[in-house]
């Protein structure tokens, strides 16, 4: 039964030894939550999650926490993610694509500037049904 | 849902919302029987008989954010469309077990889709949950257990992107190998 080789994992372990990845409850710069309800998944939330994983690896970021949550009740605006920069109000981004996700990651998660054009609403949960 | 790997992600997210700490996903492709089966089993809080009966009803949900729940009804429909069956068993306090089968050669059988991405998405979002994955194609088998991987990684978290991308590549290569075998 061919498997993940222990040596491969050991190699990664060696490389990462001195760098501590953050965990829930630890110190982090920002937390990104991808909404993974049935609605989110069928609209492409998995692609959003994998774009984030690749961005974090590419840019070698160690203090951004990425996690999943369920349906937020705004199924028509999926895929969605919530960005919470430590100490600031959470912002929900809606109708995401891989490209929008990269932009939000660079500008908001890393840069601290909210990308207003993709945001549902800042802080509160106001919805803009008229736009659809 | 475009493919079965998205259904798997969806059902596993249900399990996690039901407080599951261990989720087993088993896929069997039996070409001679023209049968693909998907078994997912969790140790979450389970459902009582009344809830279970409504589980595949699209106008029922246990969540308060909306009044419909499409996940299981879509999977059940996908199986029935592909000349297969869907069944679900559950016991409060014990967990939930579901099985969906598909006729491989049926025109309406959805493709398997990207299994590696489904698994790494689950690991990224829920590193504290143990995932067991088994994929059998005819008589060859691939399996993965995040509990083993975690014990090898020791202090390195399972959800480090480097680890996840390595795992993703490994699953893809091994499944491709299985497919090449007779």
């Amino acid at each position: 039964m061919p498997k993940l080789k222990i040596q491969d994992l050991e190699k990664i372990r060696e490389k990462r030894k001195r760098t501590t990845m953050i965990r829930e409850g630890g110190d982090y710069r920002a937390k990104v939550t991808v909404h993974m309800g049935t609605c989110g998944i069928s609209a492409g939330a998995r692609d959003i999650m994998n774009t984030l994983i690749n961005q974090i690896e590419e840019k070698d970021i160690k203090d951004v926490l990425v996690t999943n949550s369920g349906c937020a009740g705004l199924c028509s605006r999926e895929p969605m993610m919530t960005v919470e920069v430590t100490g600031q109000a959470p912002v929900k981004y809606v109708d995401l694509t891989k490209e929008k996700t990269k932009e939000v990651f660079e500008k908001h998660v890393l840069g601290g500037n909210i990308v207003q054009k993709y945001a549902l609403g800042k802080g509160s949960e106001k919805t803009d049904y008229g736009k659809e | 849902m475009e493919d079965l790997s998205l259904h798997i992600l969806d059902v596993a997210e249900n399990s996690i919302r039901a407080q599951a700490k261990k989720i087993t996903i088993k896929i069997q492709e039996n070409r001679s029987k023209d049968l693909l089966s998907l078994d997912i089993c969790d140790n979450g809080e389970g459902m009582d008989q009344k809830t279970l009966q409504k589980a595949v009803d699209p106008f029922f949900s246990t969540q308060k954010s909306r009044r419909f729940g499409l996940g299981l009804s879509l999977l059940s429909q996908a199986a029935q469309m592909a000349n297969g069956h869907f069944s679900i068993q559950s016991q409060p306090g014990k967990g939930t077990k579901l099985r969906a089968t598909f006729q491989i050669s049926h025109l309406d059988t959805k493709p398997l889709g990207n299994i590696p991405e489904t698994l790494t998405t689950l690991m990224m979002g829920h590193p504290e949950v143990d995932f067991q994955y088994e994929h059998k194609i005819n008589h060859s088998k691939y399996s993965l257990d995040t509990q083993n991987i975690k014990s090898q990684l020791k202090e390195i978290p399972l959800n480090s992107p480097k680890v996840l991308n390595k795992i993703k590549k490994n699953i893809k290569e091994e499944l491709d190998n299985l497919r090449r075998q007779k």
Side-chain angles (χ1 to χ4, degrees):
Chain A
M1 186 166 54
K3 274 211 180 160
L4 252 191
K5 288 190 206 79
I6 296 180
Q7 300 95 286
D8 290 343
L9 294 171
E10 286 287 333
K11 239 188 266 167
I12 299 170
R13 213 168 83 81
E14 275 310 307
K15 270 193 210 159
R16 301 249 118 187
K17 233 173 187 170
R18 275 169 231 288
T19 62
T20 39
M21 271 284 295
I22 40 104
R23 296 164 200 252
E24 193 90 47
D27 264 348
Y28 46 85
R29 160 168 31 178
K31 178 172 158 184
V32 184
T33 307
V34 182
H35 297 264
M36 281 288 168
T38 304
C39 45
I41 292 169
S42 60
R46 194 181 65 187
D47 283 345
I48 305 303
M49 178 58 111
N50 281 278
T51 304
L52 290 169
I53 297 177
N54 291 333
Q55 285 290 303
I56 291 174
E57 192 188 5
E58 226 172 78
K59 298 187 165 69
D60 202 21
I61 308 295
K62 295 185 189 69
D63 54 357
V64 171
L65 180 67
V66 176
T67 182
N68 297 357
S69 77
C71 169
L74 289 159
C75 307
S76 63
R77 308 301 300 272
E78 297 280 2
M80 287 175 33
M81 67 178 182
T82 305
V83 174
E84 202 172 345
V85 173
T86 305
Q88 289 175 20
V91 179
K92 276 195 168 58
Y93 289 100
V94 295
D95 305 320
L96 288 170
T97 60
K98 286 183 189 174
E99 289 68 35
K100 289 181 189 174
T101 306
K102 278 186 199 165
E103 195 179 331
V104 171
F105 188 81
E106 274 165 26
K107 291 185 179 161
H108 188 183
V109 179
L110 301 181
N113 300 309
I114 294 166
V115 187
Q116 294 201 10
K117 58 184 170 179
Y118 306 144
L120 169 74
K122 217 166 93 183
S124 74
E125 297 240 338
K126 260 194 241 162
T127 54
D128 191 356
Y129 290 113
K131 253 170 96 180
E132 278 299 281
Chain B
M1 299 283 172
E2 275 175 32
D3 57 50
L4 297 179
S5 72
L6 291 173
H7 280 291
I8 295 172
L9 175 58
D10 187 29
V11 171
E13 287 286 338
N14 284 350
S15 297
I16 291 159
R17 241 165 281 140
Q19 314 300 326
K21 290 286 159 258
K22 188 174 173 181
I23 300 172
T24 309
I25 301 162
K26 217 185 261 184
I27 293 175
Q28 288 184 65
E29 296 180 46
N30 189 326
R31 299 273 159 75
S32 56
K33 285 188 184 158
D34 195 18
L35 182 76
L36 186 148
S37 65
L38 165 67
D39 291 274
I40 301 178
C41 159
D42 72 44
N43 65 351
E45 59 198 17
M47 292 174 270
D48 55 29
Q49 275 305 313
K50 217 174 129 203
T51 313
L52 189 62
Q53 274 168 13
K54 291 186 282 188
V56 289
D57 178 352
F59 299 105
F60 172 77
S61 174
T62 52
Q63 283 171 271
K64 297 216 165 60
S65 62
R66 46 178 165 69
R67 284 168 301 162
F68 48 87
L70 299 180
L72 288 181
S73 64
L74 288 174
L75 177 57
S76 151
Q77 187 194 33
Q80 280 164 20
M81 222 160 74
N83 199 21
H85 298 279
F86 175 86
S87 63
I88 183 163
Q89 291 167 304
S90 191
Q91 243 183 311
K94 289 253 170 79
T96 302
K97 215 191 262 185
L98 69 78
R99 181 176 173 84
T101 59
F102 308 84
Q103 183 188 339
I104 296 174
S105 64
H106 199 286
L107 262 181
D108 289 320
T109 297
K110 292 186 190 184
L112 257 184
N114 197 333
I115 297 285
E117 280 209 355
T118 280
L119 293 172
T120 49
T121 298
L122 288 168
M123 293 176 208
M124 182 76 190
H126 314 283
E128 73 288 355
V129 177
D130 286 322
F131 296 99
Q132 280 182 348
Y133 179 69
E134 195 183 293
H135 196 137
K136 215 166 154 188
I137 300 179
N138 300 324
H139 299 294
S140 317
K141 191 169 91 177
Y142 169 76
S143 57
L144 175 144
D145 186 339
T146 56
Q147 217 175 354
N148 288 343
I149 299 176
K150 278 183 215 167
S151 64
Q152 283 165 27
L153 283 167
K154 292 179 186 133
E155 76 278 13
I156 307 296
L158 179 69
N159 60 350
S160 315
K162 272 213 166 58
V163 174
L164 288 182
N165 278 334
K166 189 97 212 170
I167 295 175
K168 198 195 286 182
K169 215 176 127 208
N170 178 268
I171 303 170
K172 191 184 175 303
E173 282 170 6
E174 294 304 336
L175 290 184
D176 286 348
N177 278 344
L178 280 194
R179 242 168 253 294
R180 272 194 291 271
Q181 288 169 24
K182 285 275 162 182

